[in-house]
Amino acid sequence: MAWQPGLPVHGAPTWVIVVGESGLPAVAKEAGERLGVDLGRLLEAQQATGFTPSAGATAAYPLLDGDVTEVLLVGAGDGTAKDLRHAGAAIARFGRGKDELTTVVAEGIDDATLQAFAEGVVLGSFTYTQKTVDPGKPVLTRLTLTDGSDAVRQPVVDRGVVIGRTGWLARKFATTPSNEKDPAWLAARATELAAATGLEVTVWDEKKLAADGFGGILAVGKGSTRPPRFIRLDYVPDGATKDTPYVVLVGKGITYDTGGLSLKPREGMVSMKRDMTGGGSVIATLSALRELGAQVKVTGLICSAENMPSGTSYRPDDVIRHYGGRTTEVKNTDAEGRLVMADGLAYAVKELKPDVLVDVATLTGAIKVSLGSMLYGGLFATDDALADNLADAGRVSGEELWRMPLPAEYEDLISTPIADSVNSSKGPGSITAALFLKAFTGDVPWAHLDLSSIAESPADRFEYSPGATGAGARLLTTWLTSDTPTSGIG
């Protein structure tokens, strides 16, 4: 995606004009002269047949003369970053199978909105298929972007492309079928990305997990012939000192979730290849930090296992000893995500001693009951400033969060005389899951992101195609590459 100062002399065979509620961009008259068409009259004609400038709306018009063969009008709504992200995605969908588009946006578009537009183009381009017959149109090869002015805006566009790419990458991880994707596969992808993006990587196999006492990860992975992995990625910015803030991310990496012996029904099992969305988003986030110049130290911990039923599976009523010694009595083997995440959180607190701890997971179906689908992810936090910083990043990135309570009164719901806690109980499921994790976070400012509610799109709309959304990657990348991600926390 390239920014073009000034209108190109010729441009692509298809020109895209982004239209807001206030009308055509300022350079529309000059652009129309280049194209040999009155864009104002064209807009009026299209509006007469039902086109509106709502975000992502499109109307194509063929041209019979000249090198340019087509004009596409794309709605930008009220011009917010959110609406421009949707407009960018609509352009990418239209551009599938095309070599190049020239796109004209409003003159003086601000950095946040231009960045969101670039993100939308990347996200709307996402495809994943293993079809051998009729695999669909390839993604748009090139998009040239201009507002007609002499401004140089390529760095803003580039940042949007990188953040959009984290969402693309997390979505690709989550969409990959689980006959290909297992914990070792996820570790291999993390290792490849670490080598390409300047990260340090360490991987625990099942023998090292046992030797070091990662009882939760081992228990969940026991039923599968494909053993678990614990993956650590480390990013240290250039010029870091002992005073550089240190953030640890912990991601759920369940590469397939049958529910184990507490077997899910068929309908509940479909799509569980994306139950490693949290871990995938952590890997995708870490891969972008050096390119975007993040000024905080970050460690990503991915707790990966495949939850399968077999003669070696862990059982309801088993007692698990987690990293660091805390115990859990199992009541539901389908509440496995919190068991692997507990090991990662305990390791972070004991061994890494971060300033801030954030975990991300598709943890509970209950959060969808609370928040519905594709509007908000759930946010739980022990620190108000951390909650505010993450919520701000959610609004900027388009992966919005809604803060949920952490009432101590519900801790009795996960108590048991047999162990330090149980992993499942009656009551408010997303809250009790968060309270279970909270016990492993010590005194470190901590936030828990339960993103099941935004992890799967039902339709090809906005910036998403149907299926896994890769939720969390854009949010975390936006937060960690902001000017002050840890301001006020502590």
Side-chain angles (χ1 to χ4, degrees), residues 71 103 225 308 352 372 426:
V71 173
T103 299
T225 58
M308 299 287 284
L352 304 181
K426 295 180 180 179

Side-chain angles (χ1 to χ4, degrees), residues 35-387:
L35 301 174
V37 60
D38 186 330
L39 291 175
R41 292 188 63 187
L42 173 60
L43 175 60
E44 289 175 3
Q46 294 294 339
Q47 287 176 319
T49 59
F51 173 77
T52 67
S54 58
T58 59
Y61 181 78
L63 301 180
L64 302 180
D65 299 317
D67 295 332
V68 179
T69 60
E70 187 177 33
V71 173
L72 178 73
L73 302 178
V74 175
D78 60 7
T80 62
K82 181 178 181 179
D83 281 358
L84 264 291
R85 188 179 291 109
H86 296 168
I91 292 168
R93 289 189 184 92
F94 175 83
R96 291 172 186 169
K98 297 182 182 294
D99 290 330
E100 185 177 3
L101 297 177
T102 296
T103 299
V104 181
V105 296
E107 184 174 358
I109 182 173
D110 66 46
D111 285 354
T113 308
L114 178 58
Q115 177 187 311
F117 178 86
E119 292 170 12
V121 173
V122 174
L123 294 164
S125 299
F126 179 79
T127 59
Y128 181 96
T129 184
Q130 295 191 15
K131 293 179 69 171
T132 59
V133 177
D134 189 24
K137 296 178 181 179
V139 300
L140 172 67
T141 304
R142 178 181 174 83
L143 185 141
T144 301
L145 189 60
T146 183
D147 67 354
S149 74
D150 293 331
V152 177
R153 308 292 295 280
Q154 191 65 46
V156 179
V157 173
D158 289 345
R159 177 177 168 84
V161 168
V162 174
I163 291 179
R165 191 178 69 210
T166 66
W168 173 300
L169 183 58
R171 196 181 302 179
K172 182 179 179 181
F173 286 152
T175 306
T176 299
S178 294
N179 59 327
E180 177 181 348
K181 174 181 63 188
D182 66 0
W185 181 94
L186 196 61
R189 302 292 79 74
T191 300
E192 291 169 356
L193 281 168
T197 59
L199 306 173
E200 295 294 324
V201 61
T202 310
V203 177
W204 280 252
D205 64 11
E206 65 273 27
K207 292 181 180 178
K208 186 171 172 57
L209 286 168
D212 290 351
F214 287 84
I217 297 174
L218 285 166
V220 173
K222 277 176 61 179
S224 176
T225 58
R226 304 194 288 179
R229 294 288 185 269
F230 182 57
I231 307 158
R232 173 177 169 175
L233 297 169
D234 287 287
Y235 165 77
V236 180
D238 296 336
T241 69
K242 63 181 180 61
D243 296 322
T244 301
Y246 182 29
V247 175
V248 172
L249 307 177
V250 180
K252 175 185 173 184
I254 301 297
T255 56
Y256 198 78
D257 181 20
T258 66
L261 292 180
S262 306
L263 194 68
K264 294 177 182 288
R266 183 191 66 82
E267 295 81 5
M269 207 180 298
V270 172
S271 83
M272 283 298 100
K273 66 181 182 180
R274 60 131 178 89
D275 207 22
M276 40 58 64
T277 291
S281 70
V282 169
I283 295 170
T285 296
L286 267 290
S287 74
L289 297 183
R290 194 165 303 281
E291 189 170 0
L292 294 178
Q295 292 303 301
V296 289
K297 293 184 289 187
V298 182
T299 294
L301 303 174
I302 299 91
C303 311
S304 187
E306 185 176 63
N307 190 24
M308 299 287 284
S310 76
T312 58
S313 293
Y314 77 123
R315 298 158 291 262
D317 289 340
D318 282 0
V319 174
I320 293 169
R321 189 172 299 276
H322 294 277
Y323 189 93
R326 186 177 171 87
T327 57
T328 298
E329 184 182 16
V330 176
K331 290 302 180 185
N332 182 353
T333 66
D334 194 24
E336 85 298 330
R338 68 202 70 181
L339 299 178
V340 300
M341 299 279 282
D343 279 359
L345 293 168
Y347 172 85
V349 171
K350 182 179 179 183
E351 307 297 340
L352 304 181
K353 298 177 173 55
D355 300 310
V356 178
L357 183 59
V358 175
D359 73 68
V360 54
T362 48
L363 201 66
T364 68
I367 199 67
K368 290 188 281 188
V369 177
S370 299
L371 298 177
S373 178
M374 295 306 296
L375 283 180
Y376 300 98
L379 164 64
F380 300 81
T382 58
D383 184 279
D384 290 343
L386 174 58

Side-chain angles (χ1 to χ4, degrees), residues 82 367-368 370-379 395 399-403 450-455:
K82 181 178 181 179
I367 199 67
K368 290 188 281 188
S370 299
L371 298 177
S373 178
M374 295 306 296
L375 283 180
Y376 300 98
L379 164 64
R395 283 186 287 272
E399 295 185 326
E400 296 202 51
L401 301 172
W402 189 272
R403 191 172 183 184
D450 187 347
L451 303 186
S452 294
S453 51
I454 58 171

